[in-house]
Amino acid sequence: MNVLVCIKQIPDPNAPGKLDPQTKRLVREGVDLVLDPGDEHAVEAGLQIVEKDAGEVTVISMGPPKAVDAIRRALAMGAHRGILVTDTALENSDAISTARAIAAAVKGQTYDVIICGTESTDGSSGAVPAQLAEFLALPLLSFAKKLEVAQGKAVIDRQTDDGYDVVEAPLPAVVTVTGGINEARYPALRGIMQAKNKEVKQVGLSDIGLDGQAGKAALTQEVVDATPAEARKAGEIVEDKGDGAKRVADFLKELKVI
């Protein structure tokens, strides 16, 4: 079983993020960068598949050369090799440009399952996995809180507001996983040491044969404004004068909770 996992390096979500006032984009220089925590669940899902059925896990990312650190983290978890798509011409890529580049990088290679996090923690568009599936002409199974791969198909429990739906697709397929699908393993010292010697292939635009414009020249999205989140308002204290339960019920109805 050959599994490909898409990962992303992001600013540490445990630290307050900053927006560049000129570009309205997240500041990624001079801050701590980590493997997206959501992608750790995707890596874990891939590792569990190959540990059950044998095979290899390849991780792929697109970003500047320092994004190799996120790949090394996935390799320390147990992934077998990495691919970094890096090229200055890809800077400031939006979601669809990222999907095009990754699709070009893996086109012609054989993977049974491609696993992605549901959305990145920094951008939160959730668009890349579906676009990648479209570019590769593969079925997409999204929001998986459980994933089983066997007998030539992938079967997921697709998380919904009301519970879950069981959905399946023939392999190869693209699957997005939620944070509830597993408990991502923490890299052991041995894994960290082994990761230093695992293959990480770096490829640029000329290597992947991407047609058309890329990066900033191909932007289809632009952040035109950013507004600080509204400050949290003080709560209302309800003094029960015999109508407390009714006032609470009316409040919940107003919020459409009941």
Side-chain angles (χ1 to χ4, degrees), residues 133-157:
E134 178 68 19
F135 285 127
L136 295 175
L138 297 178
L140 172 70
L141 299 174
S142 58
F143 297 100
K145 69 171 190 174
K146 180 181 178 183
L147 168 62
E148 293 184 354
V149 179
Q151 299 179 337
K153 63 183 180 182
V155 183
I156 70 164
D157 288 354

Side-chain angles (χ1 to χ4, degrees), residues 167-239:
V167 187
E168 66 178 50
L171 301 180
V174 178
V175 180
T176 72
V177 299
T178 69
I181 191 170
N182 54 42
E183 187 72 28
R185 69 192 67 183
Y186 194 84
L189 178 59
R190 182 182 180 191
I192 294 172
M193 298 303 293
Q194 290 177 334
K196 296 178 180 178
N197 296 319
K198 291 182 179 178
E199 176 190 8
V200 178
K201 184 179 180 181
Q202 297 196 22
V203 295
L205 278 180
S206 60
D207 301 307
I208 63 178
L210 186 66
D211 296 328
Q213 294 181 315
K216 191 174 182 179
L219 283 179
T220 58
Q221 301 169 320
E222 180 183 4
V223 180
V224 296
D225 196 11
T227 304
E230 185 177 353
R232 190 172 184 177
K233 297 179 181 177
E236 178 185 356
I237 298 175
V238 177
E239 185 177 348

